[in-house]
Amino acid sequence: MVKKILLNLKMHPFETTMMGVLKGVADYYKIDLSNAWLFGGSGHAFLINIHDQLCPSGPYCWKYEGFYRLLQNLGILMKELGFFTAESTPLERGKIEASLKKNIDAEVPCSMLNMENQLISGYDAKHSHFIVQKPWPKADLPFTPETLTFQTWKELGDEIHVNFFSFKKIPGAHDGTVIKESLTYAVELARNPEKYRLDPCYHMGLDAYMAWINAVKDGHGASHGNWWNGTVWWECRKMASAYFAEIAPKFKGQISEDATRVSNQYAKIAELAFKVSDKKLADNDKIRTLREAKKIEESCIDEIEKMASALSS
């Protein structure tokens, strides 16, 4: 086949580009998921990952296994196809390109993660490239290319550290399973972050707040990484708030009341994360704000743990 494009595949412009990819996939497969249900049910709404020096890579560098499992509850099977660097050989690149083409020919969406997550919505053999969607169409960023040239991957420049993924539609779970397992995951991220930590220089769960505070103390509070981490984790906490607002009417009594209270608490955490993202905010104010956010999130996790336990009984 000379050219193949998945016409109804469109990336959603979330700040959290992984979720922008997945919203595009869900819409392509006509899986009816609200933004909040996608973030919350997949567990991504509860993620936080901070590098020692507030590197902007925090939103991308963590172990995805639990996330993959929760996505299956939402009806999406996400599969990692491989990781490649600038040292990858033409043979290795040819093999992954053949796999991407095979998936696309079968109407299966794919994506790549180099600097950002981007949907691969087709290929053009005549012009020897894949067709890649920009996460933010109005942003002219050189590290979010619109094509990926066969073999050379020249659009990625010297920074090639790329993962490829495919996404298939599968039967999803009922709402009760989605809720129970996502809340269990939220607690696990907070209580046992080492399970999902990719490298010692990253810190997840409640530990991430202290890492963020220490990074600000070390002079990284006005960095691009501080702004970007604040922006992504603000969006995630905003979606956590909306997720609990959707959970509340599905139950009566105590769980409904708890969900409403936790929704309000996550809305407050989102406000605080957005405040911290401001590069101009004084370090002392950043540290005070992060401590407040950590305290509220600790309270949220305690309540989520009780909700998860009640749903399991």
Side-chain angles (χ1 to χ4, degrees):
M1 189 175 292
V2 175
K3 189 174 185 178
K4 175 72 174 183
I5 299 175
L6 304 182
L7 296 175
N8 296 319
L9 182 63
K10 184 178 180 181
M11 190 162 179
H12 193 86
F14 287 132
E15 305 292 358
T16 313
T17 55
M18 171 68 81
M19 304 311 287
V21 163
L22 285 161
K23 179 60 175 173
V25 168
D27 290 348
Y28 171 79
Y29 282 130
K30 295 182 170 59
I31 302 172
D32 186 17
L33 300 173
S34 70
N35 295 342
W37 203 257
L38 177 63
F39 271 79
S42 69
H44 206 298
F46 308 107
L47 185 72
I48 181 171
N49 187 36
I50 297 294
H51 184 272
D52 283 333
Q53 297 181 344
L54 275 175
C55 175
S57 60
Y60 318 95
C61 298
W62 43 281
K63 293 180 181 178
Y64 291 11
E65 287 81 2
F67 176 70
Y68 291 153
R69 175 174 50 80
L70 292 181
L71 277 177
Q72 292 182 48
N73 286 341
L74 299 179
I76 299 172
L77 178 63
M78 181 177 178
K79 181 179 179 182
E80 186 170 353
L81 302 178
F83 174 73
F84 302 85
T85 67
E87 287 70 42
S88 55
T89 67
L91 178 61
E92 290 170 333
R93 295 186 187 193
K95 286 183 178 180
I96 185 60
E97 289 172 5
S99 178
L100 292 169
K101 291 174 186 176
K102 183 178 180 180
N103 275 289
I104 292 167
D105 286 342
E107 310 288 334
V108 174
C110 295
S111 76
M112 70 179 199
L113 167 58
N114 196 56
M115 298 294 284
E116 288 294 346
N117 292 278
Q118 296 183 254
L119 276 171
I120 301 173
S121 53
Y123 65 86
D124 185 342
K126 181 179 179 180
H127 295 96
S128 301
H129 64 226
F130 290 98
I131 299 162
V132 185
Q133 295 197 11
K134 297 174 77 66
W136 311 289
K138 295 181 180 180
D140 185 21
L141 302 173
F143 54 85
T144 57
E146 294 181 284
T147 60
L148 186 68
T149 301
F150 297 161
Q151 298 285 312
T152 67
W153 301 351
K154 63 182 182 181
E155 294 88 345
L156 304 183
D158 296 329
E159 283 206 56
I160 299 178
H161 37 76
V162 59
N163 284 86
F164 294 99
F165 306 90
S166 65
F167 305 88
K168 293 182 179 179
K169 183 178 182 179
I170 60 173
H174 58 76
D175 286 355
T177 298
V178 171
I179 295 168
K180 181 177 68 176
E181 294 191 359
S182 63
L183 299 191
T184 299
Y185 178 73
V187 174
E188 193 171 48
L189 279 174
R191 303 272 194 249
N192 189 22
E194 292 298 322
K195 184 175 180 179
Y196 301 103
R197 188 179 180 185
L198 188 64
D199 186 274
C201 63
Y202 293 97
H203 307 271
M204 302 188 74
L206 297 173
D207 294 346
Y209 285 101
M210 283 310 304
W212 201 338
I213 288 169
N214 289 333
V216 171
K217 290 179 178 178
D218 289 341
H220 303 290
S223 67
H224 172 75
N226 178 83
W227 166 75
W228 186 237
N229 277 279
T231 299
V232 171
W233 308 132
W234 154 76
E235 182 175 65
C236 289
R237 294 311 183 269
K238 181 180 71 169
M239 291 297 179
S241 173
Y243 182 51
F244 281 103
E246 291 190 13
I247 290 174
K250 295 180 181 294
F251 299 93
K252 295 181 179 179
Q254 191 62 48
I255 291 179
S256 178
E257 293 173 11
D258 291 346
T260 298
R261 183 166 54 255
V262 172
S263 174
N264 293 334
Q265 289 176 309
Y266 270 113
K268 179 61 175 177
I269 297 170
E271 291 176 7
L272 296 172
F274 186 78
K275 181 178 178 180
V276 170
S277 72
D278 184 355
K279 296 179 182 180
K280 296 181 180 178
L281 185 69
D283 285 354
N284 286 341
D285 289 334
K286 277 190 170 72
I287 291 168
R288 186 163 45 248
T289 302
L290 286 165
R291 284 177 174 154
E292 183 180 356
K294 180 178 185 290
K295 183 177 180 180
I296 297 173
E297 186 137 357
E298 284 177 325
S299 174
C300 285
I301 296 302
D302 289 341
E303 297 210 43
I304 291 170
E305 189 168 30
K306 292 176 185 176
M307 290 172 63
S309 178
L311 291 171
S312 299
S313 61

